[in-house]
Amino acid sequence: MCDTCGCSTEDWAVLRKPGQSDYHVHVNEHEHAHGEHHRHEHGDHHHEGGGRKVVLEQDVLQKNNLLAERNRGYFEARKIFALNFLSSPGSGKTSLLEKIIPALQQRFPVAVIEGDQQTTNDAERIQALGVPVIQINTGSGCHLDALMVNRAVKELDVEDNSLLCIENVGNLVCPALFDLGEALKVVIISVTEGDDKPLKYPTMFHEADLCILNKIDLLPYVEFDAAKCRENAMRVNHHLEWFELSAKTGEGLAALQEWLEDKLAQH
Amino acid sequence: MHEMSIALSIVEAVEESARKEGAGWISEIELLVGKLAGIEPESLKFCFSAAAKGTLAENAVLAIEEPEGVGECGECGITFPVNFYYAECPACRSLRVKIISGEEFLIQSMTIEEEK
Ligand SMILES: Nc1nc2c(ncn2[C@@H]2O[C@H](COP(=O)(O)OP(=O)(O)O)[C@@H](O)[C@H]2O)c(=O)[nH]1
Ligand SMILES: [Mg+2]
Ligand SMILES: [Zn+2]
Ligand SMILES: [Zn+2]
Ligand SMILES: [Zn+2]
Ligand SMILES: [Zn+2]
């Protein structure tokens, strides 16, 4: 149930803005007409023969994919450069955004969409930087989808020629399957996670354009082979751009910053 | 968990088509889920029964075909089985491998029944 208006929203995502407790928008996916469904009791199966086969050959994620393409078209028309940040919980997505946005903001308008199951904590951290931000709370949902982003962008009023950073829900599995319409997928892994992570979650690394190894300030204290991790990631996706940095100390940030600025300028 | 939202998408898609066809109920759904698609068929089946409750697909059997991963080497052109973990050409060791099969994720068909 929605804690703000009391409506039943178990399966819907909710958009929120930090500091505006009376603001919230439900992302309502579809209105099912369940009423007229034919039900039959078990035991009266007549599966043998009789049925008619209808060929569909339809992508399971077709609906999401179509909406993602609409988002993409909208972003392209308005020269909005959208990045989808993906990682396990705690790898440093929000910390990285806090670090790179102040400099990027000098050159381009920046806006942020924050995805989390609950709380507006991350949106509050981003709002402190003075950029427009909206929080998507997915509730039980473990990923953002194209519809949520579509609604969030409308609520957010993203400027033309801007950088839009989308922080996905912390999860290395299914966000890889849901295209949001972004220009690039950025996957973040930290040195406390194990250098075989790209092999354990190959789909995510296969789909990504950029891989950032974060928390390299902790390398002296953990058993983590950065070169091996990179090699594993490259095995899964040889097109991957690779960066190593610390969102805490700022080491290695300049290279990423420069790469992003180049991409933005070309966009 | 992500299999749940995927199961819901499948139910939604087949129900929509079944209604257009004037079906009474859906008895079978054929899916193509490539080995590299990042979907766990067992978990999908489990979620499907929950997702289909109270819909035309409630009693549908999920038939899942799982095509193997196949890669094509961008250097020497041979094709070979892949599972991502070793997406390296067995002939020339190149990492420039293009996946040509195994990423499928399709609803192939459904079988619909008349109103009983
Ligand atoms: N030592 C160290 N800690 C970091 C670094 N980046 C993030 N953290 C810490 O990791 C935790 C999770 O970071 P956060 O940005 O919230 O991760 P998110 O869940 O991916 O958004 C926080 O306690 C951060 O302070 C880093 O480069 N080095
Ligand atoms: Mg975060
Ligand atoms: Zn509400
Ligand atoms: Zn039945
Ligand atoms: Zn999910
Ligand atoms: Zn080869």
Side-chain angles (χ1 to χ4, degrees):
Chain A
M1 195 170 75
C2 170
D3 48 71
T4 308
C5 72
C7 63
S8 167
T9 58
E10 302 288 345
D11 304 325
W12 302 349
V14 179
L15 307 182
R16 300 182 200 277
K17 287 181 178 172
Q20 297 183 34
S21 54
D22 53 344
Y23 168 94
H24 82 289
V25 175
H26 296 278
V27 182
N28 182 1
E29 202 159 342
H30 37 250
E31 47 298 318
H32 267 300
H34 284 281
E36 355 108 46
H37 288 156
H38 162 70
R39 289 157 190 273
H40 60 259
E41 297 304 316
H42 263 271
D44 61 354
H45 284 210
H46 293 280
H47 294 173
E48 60 294 320
R52 181 159 61 91
K53 190 160 165 171
V54 181
V55 175
L56 297 170
E57 290 184 347
Q58 173 179 340
D59 196 308
V60 172
L61 298 169
Q62 187 180 56
K63 204 173 150 201
N64 187 73
N65 291 344
L66 289 174
L67 195 51
E69 280 311 321
R70 264 174 59 192
N71 291 349
R72 187 165 282 119
Y74 175 84
F75 294 149
E76 277 173 14
R78 300 193 43 202
K79 294 205 185 309
I80 295 167
F81 188 57
L83 299 177
N84 183 2
F85 288 84
L86 307 143
S87 82
S88 302
S91 303
K93 297 180 294 298
T94 314
S95 306
L96 181 67
L97 291 178
E98 287 177 304
K99 237 0 192 242
I100 59 174
I101 287 173
L104 291 171
Q105 213 181 348
Q106 309 293 317
R107 301 192 47 191
F108 311 91
V110 180
V112 178
I113 296 174
E114 279 292 337
D116 275 300
Q117 294 192 316
Q118 303 291 344
T119 86
T120 53
N121 294 352
D122 284 2
E124 280 155 26
R125 286 164 65 183
I126 298 299
Q127 195 181 38
L129 306 173
V131 297
V133 59
I134 194 159
Q135 180 82 49
I136 302 175
N137 285 139
T138 56
S140 62
C142 49
H143 58 268
L144 296 181
D145 65 32
L147 180 71
M148 297 174 194
V149 168
N150 186 280
R151 295 295 142 81
V153 166
K154 282 180 190 152
E155 295 292 320
L156 194 54
D157 272 331
V158 183
E159 278 183 63
D160 288 3
N161 298 302
S162 63
L163 170 67
L164 174 63
C165 298
I166 305 168
E167 179 178 336
N168 217 309
V169 179
N171 175 348
L172 269 184
V173 184
C174 57
L177 299 171
F178 290 82
D179 185 7
L180 305 179
E182 72 277 336
L184 300 174
K185 282 188 171 69
V186 183
V187 62
I188 300 172
I189 165 176
S190 63
V191 303
T192 53
E193 295 172 48
D195 44 36
D196 58 350
K197 205 137 197 189
L199 301 183
K200 286 184 174 159
Y201 299 91
T203 311
M204 181 63 77
F205 289 83
H206 183 67
E207 294 299 317
D209 301 283
L210 227 73
C211 182
I212 294 170
L213 177 62
N214 188 31
K215 308 195 188 180
I216 58 169
D217 58 293
L218 299 179
L219 274 175
Y221 315 104
V222 293
E223 220 169 286
F224 184 97
D225 185 338
K228 186 136 164 247
C229 183
R230 178 183 181 157
E231 194 188 302
N232 287 337
M234 292 298 163
R235 288 194 147 213
V236 173
N237 177 359
H238 56 274
H239 296 290
L240 209 50
E241 294 281 342
W242 182 264
F243 295 91
E244 296 178 13
L245 54 84
S246 164
K248 186 177 179 189
T249 65
E251 185 186 350
L253 265 179
L256 174 68
Q257 200 95 25
E258 207 172 293
W259 192 90
L260 284 176
E261 285 180 14
D262 277 356
K263 281 278 170 192
L264 266 157
Q266 289 166 25
H267 184 68
Chain B
M1 180 58 213
H2 76 285
E3 273 85 2
M4 190 61 203
S5 56
I6 283 161
L8 286 165
S9 324
I10 294 171
V11 170
E12 196 183 346
V14 293
E15 258 216 316
E16 198 181 316
S17 305
R19 270 175 208 292
K20 278 192 202 135
E21 301 283 340
W25 58 286
I26 303 167
S27 56
E28 184 173 359
I29 301 168
E30 283 183 326
L31 297 181
L32 205 58
V33 182
K35 287 259 168 75
L36 307 176
I39 306 290
E40 194 52 61
E42 279 318 305
S43 149
L44 182 59
K45 279 186 182 162
F46 180 77
C47 292
F48 178 80
S49 48
K53 271 252 154 55
T55 75
L56 294 182
E58 177 162 19
N59 294 294
V61 175
L62 260 199
I64 303 182
E65 191 189 330
E66 300 175 70
E68 298 289 335
V70 179
E72 184 181 69
C73 177
E75 305 286 347
C76 74
I78 68 157
T79 60
F80 50 91
V82 297
N83 58 15
F84 276 163
Y85 297 78
Y86 304 102
E88 177 181 288
C89 175
C92 73
R93 300 276 143 223
S94 168
L95 292 175
R96 281 208 331 151
V97 172
K98 192 170 152 240
I99 306 296
I100 57 172
S101 168
E103 295 184 299
E104 301 83 355
F105 192 22
L106 292 177
I107 307 171
Q108 286 282 72
S109 73
M110 62 177 181
T111 305
I112 53 177
E113 313 283 336
E114 301 287 312
E115 190 89 23
K116 200 189 86 76

